[in-house]
Amino acid sequence: MPLKLKVNNVVSTVDVPPETPLLWVLRDVLDLKGSKYGCGIGMCGACTVLLDGTATRSCLTSVGDVVGHSVTTIEGLSSDGMHPVQVAWKRVDVAQCGYCQAGQIMAASALLAKTPHPTDAEIDNAMSGNLCRCGTYLRIRKAIHQAADASHKTAAVADEPGVEAQKA
């Protein structure tokens, strides 16, 4: 059954059963390999994508359930890798093995979209479903704070009369 999906602002038609997990469609049909298979039961967060801006486990989400919605994967977060969360991740050197990082970054970006200046407790709560086998949780928290600060500085510069926004 052909289904129309909007992924990373591109509308595609996929011919898969509607109950197919979104993760498999992203990886195997649309060739978007950033979202990872970790556990298959939504407990690790490696497969996290944004569904209408909300962090969502793509291994548990049926592709039929995303028709009419917008899906953003790590590949669509920023065309040049300069999203504030991605920049902070690099600056803090968060990744160790890197397997969980796409899911971590997507969850962090969803958090910052809803809570621009989160506390440590808010970060810990929002990120609690994303597991990092390497234990980089303190660096993840630090990077989220840096991304929040960078986003705030960019927004403040953009609000000044006659000044265009600059990347932090």
Side-chain angles (χ1 to χ4, degrees), residues 11-27:
V11 176
S12 300
T13 301
V14 297
D15 191 11
V16 297
E19 65 275 4
T20 304
L22 176 60
L23 178 61
W24 301 141
V25 174
L26 295 173
R27 292 182 58 80

Side-chain angles (χ1 to χ4, degrees), residues 5-154:
L5 305 178
K6 183 178 180 185
V7 178
N8 299 334
N9 291 315
V10 175
V11 176
S12 300
T13 301
V14 297
D15 191 11
V16 297
E19 65 275 4
T20 304
L22 176 60
L23 178 61
W24 301 141
V25 174
L26 295 173
R27 292 182 58 80
D28 298 340
V29 178
L30 298 177
D31 201 34
L32 297 169
K33 306 291 189 188
S35 302
K36 305 292 189 227
Y37 176 83
C39 67
I41 58 173
M43 298 300 292
C44 74
C47 67
T48 302
V49 298
L50 303 182
L51 182 58
D52 295 332
T54 300
T56 303
R57 303 296 191 256
S58 63
C59 71
L60 295 179
T61 305
S62 297
V63 71
D65 292 339
V66 304
V67 172
H69 298 277
S70 181
V71 176
T72 305
T73 68
I74 190 72
E75 294 91 345
L77 190 60
S78 169
S79 62
D80 60 1
M82 295 302 290
H83 184 280
V85 175
Q86 292 171 307
V87 170
W89 238 250
K90 293 173 196 166
R91 282 189 181 150
V92 176
D93 198 22
V94 170
Q96 191 163 320
C97 83
Y99 196 81
C100 69
Q101 296 309 295
Q104 299 277 3
I105 289 169
M106 297 309 288
S109 66
L111 166 65
L112 292 175
K114 290 180 175 54
T115 309
H117 299 287
T119 64
D120 284 349
E122 289 170 321
I123 292 170
D124 294 347
N125 184 54
M127 302 301 291
S128 67
N130 288 74
L131 303 180
C132 175
R133 291 172 27 169
C134 301
T136 65
Y137 299 110
L138 294 177
R139 292 189 304 221
I140 289 168
R141 186 191 300 153
K142 181 177 180 180
I144 292 170
H145 281 301
Q146 281 192 14
D149 291 344
S151 294
H152 176 71
K153 288 176 187 172
T154 301

